[in-house]
Amino acid sequence: MASPPRPPSDRGQSGDKSGSPQTEIQRLLKTGIALFRADEDLRALDTFKRAFLLSSRLPEPHMQARCLFNLGAAYIATGKAKKGLKCTWKANKMATTENDGDFSFNVAAAYEAMREYAKAAEFYRKAVREYEDRKTPKAAEALVKLAYCLASTGDAASAAQSFRLAGQAYQKAQQPVDAAMALREAANYFLRSPDYRPEDVLEVLHGCSQICAGITNPELLGHLRNHLGLHYAEVKHFGLAEEQFVEALELCSRESVALRKRAVLLQNLGAVYNAQQESQRALWYHGEAANTYGVLGETAAQGQCLYNLASAHSQLGNHHNAQLHYQQAVKAFVDAGDSYGKAQGCEGLGTAHFCLGHPDLAVHYYKQALALFEKAKEASDVPRERILGKLADVTSYQETLQSHNSHTGGFVDSGADVKGTGCYKEEQNQLGLKAADKFDQDTWRGQGNDPATSHYSEKSLCSIVVGRGTA
C-alpha cells in the first residue's frame, strides 16, 4: 500500500499568523486527509475544494498546485476520473515538481478508472521507475497496479512478470502478506498465459508457500493455501496441492470459519485424491462435502460433490454405489438448473449402467447426456466425441451379446461380467476443484467480506500527496 500522505509543508510560511489564509489552507488540507482516511470521501472532496478556492486568491502558485493536486486525487478516488486527471495535469503545469512518482501514479490511476488501460500502464511504468530511483516501497504498489492494467489489455504474461516483481519488492520491504498475495497473482496470470512455462508457475508458488509460513492471520492464510492448492493442481502437481489443502483444512479445524469454506476444502481434497487414484480416501471427503453443501442449501455444489463421490466409487468398482450417487447428483443438478452438470451426471449413469450389465439404460443415458452437452453454454466437441465413442462400445457389446444369445438359446447370466467392454474411469477434467471466494483485483483492493483479510484499500487508487510543489 502507498505510504501515508506527507503532512503539509510549512516551509516559507514562518511569517504566517494564526487565522491567515495560509494557515487555514494548511488546516483544510490536514482535515481533508483525515476525512479521506476515514472513508468519508465526499466530505474530503468538499474540504479539498475549499482549500483550493482559498489558495486561488493568493499569489502563490506552489500552494495552488499543491491544493489542486490533492483535489485531483480526491476526484479520481470518488469516481470522477476525468475531472481528477484535468486537475492533476494542471497542477503539474502550475509548479515545477520533482519526479517522485506520485504525479505519474495519479495520472495512471485516472486512466485506469476510465478503462484506458494501455495509457494507465504507460504511466504506472513511469511511476515504478521514479519510485525505484527514490528507493521507496511505493514501487511495489505501482507494480501491482501495472500488472492489473496489463492483464486488462490481454497481456497475461507481462502481468505475471509484474506481479512477480511486486512480490519481490514487498519481500525486500518486509511486507510478507502483500508479497504472498502478489506471488499468488503471478501464478494465476502465468497460468492464463498461452505460452507459460511450468517452471515459472512452480517458482512463484513455492515462493508464496514459503512466505505463508510467516503469515499469522488464519483466515487469510487458509484462503491463500486453498488457492495455492488450486494452482498446483492446474499444473498436475497433485501431491503439493494436497499439502496446501490439508494445511488449509487444519486451519479450519482450529478456527471458527464459515461452513462453506470447510466444504470447499473438503471438496478440493476429495478431488485431488481422485486425481491421484486414491479413491478410497476420497470417499469420505466427497461425502462430507456433499452433506455440508446440503446443509447450506447449495444444490449445484452438492451435485458436483455427489458426482465426485460416484466417480470415486466407480474407480473402486462399486458400480451399484456409483449409480446411486450419480442419480442423486443428477437430481441436485436439476434442482439447481445446471444443465451441464446434469449432462455429466447422465454420462456417469450411462457408464454405471453399462458396467452393471444394463446396456439399454446405458444407451438411454448416454443419448440424454449427448443432447444436454450440445445445448449447454459450455458446449465443445470433446464431450460429444467421448460419448459417441462410449455409445459405439455399447452397440458393439450389444451385438456381441445378441450373437452369444443366438448360440445359447437366449439364456444369459444377468450377472455377467462386462469388465473391459466400457467400464470407463472418470475423466480427470471433471475434478470439480473450486476456490472458496473470488480472488481478483477487487479482493486485493479490499472488497472482501472480512476487513481482516483486506490488505489493499481503495485509497491505493491514487496517492494523495500533501506538500507537493513547495519552495
Side-chain angles (χ1 to χ4, degrees):
M1 184 175 182
S3 57
R6 295 194 296 270
S9 172
D10 290 325
R11 286 187 300 170
Q13 307 298 332
S14 56
D16 294 343
K17 297 180 181 179
S18 176
S20 69
Q22 291 88 345
T23 301
E24 178 62 10
I25 290 169
Q26 298 284 352
R27 187 192 67 78
L28 288 170
L29 291 176
K30 289 180 179 179
T31 300
I33 288 296
L35 289 169
F36 201 72
R37 286 176 172 170
D39 292 327
E40 296 188 46
D41 297 346
L42 293 177
R43 289 183 62 197
L45 179 62
D46 180 66
T47 303
F48 287 132
K49 283 181 182 178
R50 289 159 55 199
F52 172 65
L53 289 173
L54 189 58
S55 70
S56 64
R57 302 173 189 171
L58 302 176
E60 299 181 16
H62 290 297
M63 175 71 79
Q64 292 176 32
R66 186 165 74 247
C67 293
L68 189 57
F69 185 87
N70 291 314
L71 177 59
Y75 272 130
I76 296 168
T78 52
K80 298 177 180 178
K82 288 185 179 180
K83 277 189 175 183
L85 183 60
K86 184 177 179 180
C87 291
T88 304
W89 279 113
K90 187 175 180 180
N92 199 54
K93 292 178 181 178
M94 288 175 65
T96 302
T97 60
E98 57 182 294
N99 295 325
D100 62 359
D102 292 320
F103 167 75
S104 298
F105 190 100
N106 285 15
V107 171
Y111 280 126
E112 182 184 6
M114 292 187 287
R115 300 182 183 277
E116 295 186 40
Y117 298 114
K119 288 183 179 180
E122 175 188 347
F123 280 94
Y124 279 132
R125 284 193 183 95
K126 186 177 179 183
V128 169
R129 291 193 298 270
E130 291 168 348
Y131 285 142
E132 287 178 341
D133 288 343
R134 295 176 59 222
K135 301 187 185 305
T136 170
K138 287 183 179 181
E141 183 185 359
L143 282 164
V144 168
K145 303 287 289 180
L146 170 61
Y148 281 122
C149 287
L150 290 169
S152 295
T153 65
D155 190 352
S158 295
Q161 294 289 0
S162 187
F163 277 122
R164 176 157 60 181
L165 291 172
Q168 294 168 354
Y170 279 128
Q171 282 182 278
K172 289 181 181 178
Q174 297 184 336
Q175 295 177 245
V177 169
D178 295 325
M181 293 175 76
L183 292 178
R184 209 269 347 161
E185 286 287 72
N188 181 33
Y189 284 96
F190 272 130
L191 286 165
R192 294 187 189 187
S193 175
D195 54 353
Y196 78 90
R197 299 188 308 162
E199 53 266 36
D200 286 329
V201 178
L202 291 173
E203 177 191 329
V204 293
L205 288 177
H206 291 335
C208 183
S209 182
Q210 290 175 346
I211 294 170
C212 282
I215 294 176
T216 57
N217 183 320
E219 188 166 358
L220 174 62
L221 183 57
H223 191 84
L224 283 167
R225 292 287 189 194
N226 183 52
H227 281 274
L228 287 174
L230 292 171
H231 293 321
Y232 275 125
E234 286 185 81
V235 290
K236 309 300 183 184
H237 283 253
F238 296 114
L240 294 173
E242 176 191 349
E243 291 178 10
Q244 297 297 329
F245 291 141
V246 167
E247 289 271 359
L249 191 59
E250 288 178 355
L251 287 166
C252 281
S253 64
R254 294 200 301 264
E255 302 293 333
S256 176
V257 299
L259 192 60
R260 185 178 182 278
K261 292 184 179 180
R262 177 176 172 79
V264 165
L265 291 165
L266 289 167
Q267 177 179 355
N268 288 351
L269 268 170
V272 164
Y273 289 136
N274 270 15
Q276 296 179 98
Q277 305 299 312
E278 296 185 48
S279 303
Q280 192 64 49
R281 293 183 70 184
L283 293 177
W284 183 86
Y285 291 95
H286 291 317
E288 284 293 301
N291 290 337
T292 305
Y293 281 126
V295 170
L296 294 169
E298 297 191 19
T299 52
Q302 184 183 31
Q304 183 66 68
C305 294
L306 288 167
Y307 175 91
N308 287 349
L309 179 58
S311 175
H313 276 297
S314 182
Q315 289 180 4
L316 291 168
N318 302 329
H319 301 301
H320 285 286
N321 287 336
Q323 183 266 330
L324 171 65
H325 292 301
Y326 280 132
Q327 196 72 57
Q328 292 174 340
V330 168
K331 183 180 183 304
F333 286 133
V334 169
D335 291 343
D338 184 347
S339 60
Y340 191 85
K342 181 183 177 183
Q344 288 181 304
C346 286
E347 182 182 357
L349 276 171
T351 299
H353 279 295
F354 188 24
C355 292
L356 289 169
H358 308 147
D360 290 340
L361 283 173
V363 169
H364 168 76
Y365 283 112
Y366 281 147
K367 287 184 176 180
Q368 193 172 348
L370 189 61
L372 287 166
F373 274 128
E374 289 178 346
K375 292 179 181 178
K377 294 180 180 179
E378 303 89 340
S380 73
D381 291 335
V382 175
R384 183 175 182 275
E385 292 174 1
R386 184 176 65 236
I387 295 174
L388 287 174
K390 292 181 179 182
L391 278 168
D393 286 344
V394 177
T395 301
S396 176
Y397 170 72
Q398 287 176 312
E399 290 173 353
T400 300
L401 192 62
Q402 288 172 355
S403 176
H404 174 76
N405 288 346
S406 67
H407 288 88
T408 59
F411 293 100
V412 62
D413 180 4
S414 62
D417 184 8
V418 296
K419 184 177 181 181
T421 62
C423 294
Y424 310 98
K425 288 186 178 180
E426 300 306 322
E427 289 72 18
Q428 295 303 327
N429 65 342
Q430 298 177 359
L431 289 176
L433 292 165
K434 68 190 298 182
D437 299 288
K438 185 179 179 183
F439 196 76
D440 57 12
Q441 189 175 9
D442 288 337
T443 303
W444 189 288
R445 287 176 175 173
Q447 298 301 300
N449 294 328
D450 184 0
T453 63
S454 302
H455 296 275
Y456 279 85
S457 166
E458 278 292 340
K459 302 316 176 196
S460 67
L461 280 171
C462 53
S463 300
I464 290 192
V465 182
V466 180
R468 269 185 78 90
T470 53

